[in-house]
Amino acid sequence: MLLFRSLFISLFALLFCSTVLADASIRADSHGPVGVMGDHMHKEGEWMFSYRYMQMEMDGNLDGSNNLSTDEILQDYSVAPENMTMEMHMLGAMYAPSNDLTLMLMVPVISNKMDHSMQMMGGMGMMPMRSVFTTETDGLGDIKVGGLYRLKQTSNSTLILNLSLSLPTGSIDEKDVTGMSMGDKVILPYSMQVGSGTYDLRPGVTYNNHQPTYSWGAQTIATLRLDENDNDYSLGDRIMMTAWYARPFAKSFSWSVRGAYEYWDDVDGESSKLSPMMKNMVPTADPDLRGGQRVDIAAGVNWIIPGSATNRLAVEFIRSVYQDLNGPQLETDYSLVLGWQLSL
Ligand SMILES: [Cu+2]
């Protein structure tokens, strides 16, 4: 973690030392909303460094699209997940060896925290006992390398082929003490791991259209697991589709609205390190209760810092409006993305 902290500090030092003059022709909405990755290309020889902070809040459980209370879950299980916070710090770099190709690197550092309720049966004639416990994990996530290839360009639009590879750099053996582990650290279920453990191919297409007073774009990206990890499972494949509309305002700002849809499969296989008994005690350990689909709406702002057109600060708030989950499974309430981008 110390390495990343010093990396952040050197990047911020770079931000404050950069004395690049403003280029009035660069619009704040020339990059998409900050929650979208790989939305734009760079000119030949251009570099971009970025830092994003992402926070996702999950609270309460769904079965399909119906709410499921803790009491209802504890009728079938001894442990119910209550809520989860996922935080991600992501360092990114982009470099364009030519106008038709932009290379990309993304390095995430992830931390997860989940609160649970647990119910233990007392002795004969005794009331069941309720307690709570929290598990936490953190570490380097899966590093992504890839490229954006320009398929088609007109005076106001670009069509991009996105292709990246996600590397299994994140741990799938994260442990913590649980309410049932008698003080020992034990391996945690799928959603608390910081990595997938698999090589994943991420193909996609992005379209951008820039008009004098507004811009819009759309992107679809799939995540395809290419193999099985060392613990004999692979996370579900995913497909994400999103579209946005943005408008410049007050010279160096732009606002955006965005919609997104995501579908993901259940876990394929079953972790060889989780006891097979676990999935009868806690729903998060069941590989068949991981899939689902979700619709999000988002609002964001991009700002080009005056005096140095290459520094951009951006924020996006993402609210989940519809979910259909193989449950019981924790539902996502909202996500927040803060980002800083420096182009050189
Ligand atoms: Cu970029």
Side-chain angles (χ1 to χ4, degrees), residues 40 42 48 94:
H40 62 269
H42 287 274
M48 185 183 96
M94 295 173 95

Side-chain angles (χ1 to χ4, degrees), residues 31 39-42 46-49 93-94 102 104 148 341 343:
H31 290 185
D39 61 287
H40 62 269
M41 301 194 58
H42 287 274
E46 210 169 68
W47 281 91
M48 185 183 96
F49 298 97
M94 295 173 95
T102 294
M104 237 172 114
L148 308 169
Q341 299 171 335
S343 309

Side-chain angles (χ1 to χ4, degrees), residues 208-240:
N208 277 310
N209 190 304
H210 288 267
Q211 297 294 332
T213 55
Y214 67 91
S215 62
W216 68 275
Q219 180 183 68
T220 179
I221 304 257
T223 303
L224 308 169
R225 318 289 175 182
L226 297 179
D227 55 351
E228 197 171 66
N229 63 29
D230 292 345
N231 294 350
D232 300 330
Y233 69 90
S234 57
L235 296 178
D237 290 342
R238 307 179 83 95
I239 179 117
M240 184 279 297

Side-chain angles (χ1 to χ4, degrees), residues 243-265:
W244 62 93
Y245 173 90
R247 251 187 123 87
F249 72 97
K251 264 192 172 171
S252 54
F253 287 85
S254 65
W255 58 258
S256 63
V257 287
R258 184 163 75 88
Y261 169 78
E262 189 159 19
Y263 171 91
W264 61 100
D265 271 334

Side-chain angles (χ1 to χ4, degrees), residues 53-56 85-89 109-113:
Y53 169 77
M54 289 181 257
Q55 184 179 335
M56 185 188 242
T85 302
M86 187 181 119
E87 285 179 293
M88 190 192 284
H89 300 277
V109 177
I110 296 171
S111 61
N112 295 315
K113 183 170 177 283

Side-chain angles (χ1 to χ4, degrees), residues 4 43 50 61 64 94 104 179 206 208 237 257 265 290 307 334:
F4 285 99
K43 292 198 189 92
S50 63
N61 288 272
M94 295 173 95
M104 237 172 114
T206 307
N208 277 310
D237 290 342
V257 287
D265 271 334
R290 303 310 318 147
Y334 69 87

Side-chain angles (χ1 to χ4, degrees), residues 153-203:
Q153 171 103 47
T154 70
S155 58
N156 59 12
S157 72
T158 317
L159 183 66
I160 301 169
L161 175 73
N162 300 64
L163 188 62
S164 64
L165 187 68
S166 175
L167 310 172
T169 49
S171 162
I172 54 168
D173 294 315
E174 290 300 302
K175 295 177 174 182
D176 203 357
V177 176
T178 75
M180 298 173 292
S181 70
M182 311 286 187
D184 292 332
K185 286 198 169 190
V186 292
I187 200 148
L188 295 178
Y190 308 99
S191 54
M192 288 299 288
Q193 296 303 327
V194 293
S196 66
T198 51
Y199 286 91
D200 309 330
L201 195 63
R202 292 164 46 89

